[in-house]
Amino acid sequence: MYADELPVHINESIATAIDGIDRIQILLENIHYFTQYSTDMGKPTNINEVSKRAIEIVKGTVIKENMSINTKHDTNIPLINCNKNKLLQIYLNLFTNATEACNKKGEILVESYLNKEGQVVWSISDNGVGISENDKHKIFEEFYTNKKNGTGLGLSVCKKLLEEMNAELSFESQYQEGTTFFIKFKSVEEIKNDLFS
C-alpha cells in the first residue's frame, strides 16, 4: 500500500514520527559536536577575523530575509587564546538567534572593543522580539527553548565552551525591542599575568 492510499491520520502520524527522528538526529549531532571536551584551547586568535568569517557565512540568509548587518570592529584589540573553530560555531549560533528574533528588515550590529575593565568584548545586537522577564533566567538552561524546532542546546553549550576559553557569555534584553549578547574574553596577556601572579 502506498502512502497516498493510507488514511490521513496515519500519514500525519508517520510525518510526525519522521519529524521527531530528524530532531533527535540534530540533537545528537549537536551534543556530539559541541560538547566534546578538548584540552586544545587553540592559539592566539584575532576574534575580528573569526567574526568576519561568520558574517560571510550568514550573509546569504541575511540578504534573503531583507535584513542588514553593521559592524564596529576595534582593530587594536589584543589577540585572544581560543579554539578558532569552536568560536566560529558560537558566533554562528548567536547570529542564528539574532536573525530568528528579527522580523523582515531587521538590523543586527556586531561590535568588538575593550571595555572599561580592559576586557576584550564581542557583542551582537538585534532589534528583534527581545526576551521576556519570565524567560531571562531560563535561557542558559540546558534543553530550554521557545523555538518550535529548537533543541535548547545552543546557548547553554555556547556558555560552557566559552568558559573553557576563559570567557563569559551574558546578555541584555528589552521585550519587543531587542537583545544584545556579550562575550567577554581574557586577553592572552591577562592569562599570562594570571599564571605568573
Side-chain angles (χ1 to χ4, degrees), residues 11-31:
N11 276 324
E12 289 177 349
S13 296
I14 292 172
T16 300
I18 292 172
D19 181 60
I21 291 170
D22 288 342
R23 292 186 63 192
I24 291 171
Q25 180 66 29
I26 292 170
L27 180 63
L28 291 174
E29 288 174 357
N30 284 344
I31 291 173

Side-chain angles (χ1 to χ4, degrees), residues 97-98 100-103 126-133 135-136 139 144 146 171-181:
N97 288 350
E100 290 180 350
C102 292
N103 296 315
D126 66 69
N127 62 346
V129 296
I131 302 168
S132 70
E133 290 299 322
D135 289 339
K136 285 183 178 179
I139 66 168
Y144 170 76
N146 57 12
F171 72 94
E172 294 176 357
S173 184
Q174 291 293 324
Y175 189 55
Q176 299 296 345
E177 293 185 16
T179 301
T180 300
F181 277 91

Side-chain angles (χ1 to χ4, degrees), residues 33-188:
Y33 184 85
F34 282 111
T35 61
Q36 295 178 84
Y37 180 77
S38 173
T39 56
D40 176 19
M41 289 297 100
K43 300 176 181 179
T45 300
N46 185 327
I47 65 167
N48 291 340
E49 292 178 1
V50 182
S51 182
K52 290 173 183 176
R53 175 61 182 144
I55 292 171
E56 289 175 3
I57 293 171
V58 302
K59 188 183 296 182
T61 300
V62 170
I63 293 173
K64 181 180 177 182
E65 296 297 326
N66 199 22
M67 299 171 62
S68 65
I69 295 179
N70 296 308
T71 60
K72 292 182 180 178
H73 288 133
D74 182 347
T75 57
N76 296 316
I77 56 175
L79 299 178
I80 297 299
N81 206 52
C82 66
N83 184 306
K84 187 181 294 186
N85 291 330
K86 288 187 177 181
L87 183 60
L88 176 61
Q89 291 299 323
I90 291 166
Y91 282 172
L92 290 174
N93 188 287
L94 294 175
F95 269 112
T96 299
N97 288 350
T99 55
E100 290 180 350
C102 292
N103 296 315
K104 298 285 185 178
K105 298 184 179 179
E107 296 179 0
I108 296 173
L109 173 63
V110 179
E111 298 182 88
S112 64
Y113 55 92
L114 283 175
N115 65 11
K116 293 179 180 179
E117 290 73 37
Q119 295 171 302
V120 177
V121 180
W122 182 90
S123 67
I124 181 168
S125 304
D126 66 69
N127 62 346
V129 296
I131 302 168
S132 70
E133 290 299 322
N134 289 336
D135 289 339
K136 285 183 178 179
H137 70 285
K138 297 185 284 188
I139 66 168
F140 290 128
E141 293 178 3
E142 292 181 359
F143 303 107
Y144 170 76
T145 180
N146 57 12
K147 300 176 186 177
K148 182 179 179 181
N149 295 313
T151 62
L153 279 175
L155 289 174
S156 61
V157 176
C158 286
K159 191 171 191 295
K160 174 180 176 292
L161 291 176
L162 286 168
E163 287 170 353
E164 291 177 3
M165 297 181 199
N166 292 296
E168 62 182 64
L169 179 63
S170 60
F171 72 94
E172 294 176 357
S173 184
Q174 291 293 324
Y175 189 55
Q176 299 296 345
E177 293 185 16
T179 301
T180 300
F181 277 91
F182 303 91
I183 299 176
K184 297 178 182 177
F185 298 91
K186 281 190 175 182
S187 69
V188 173

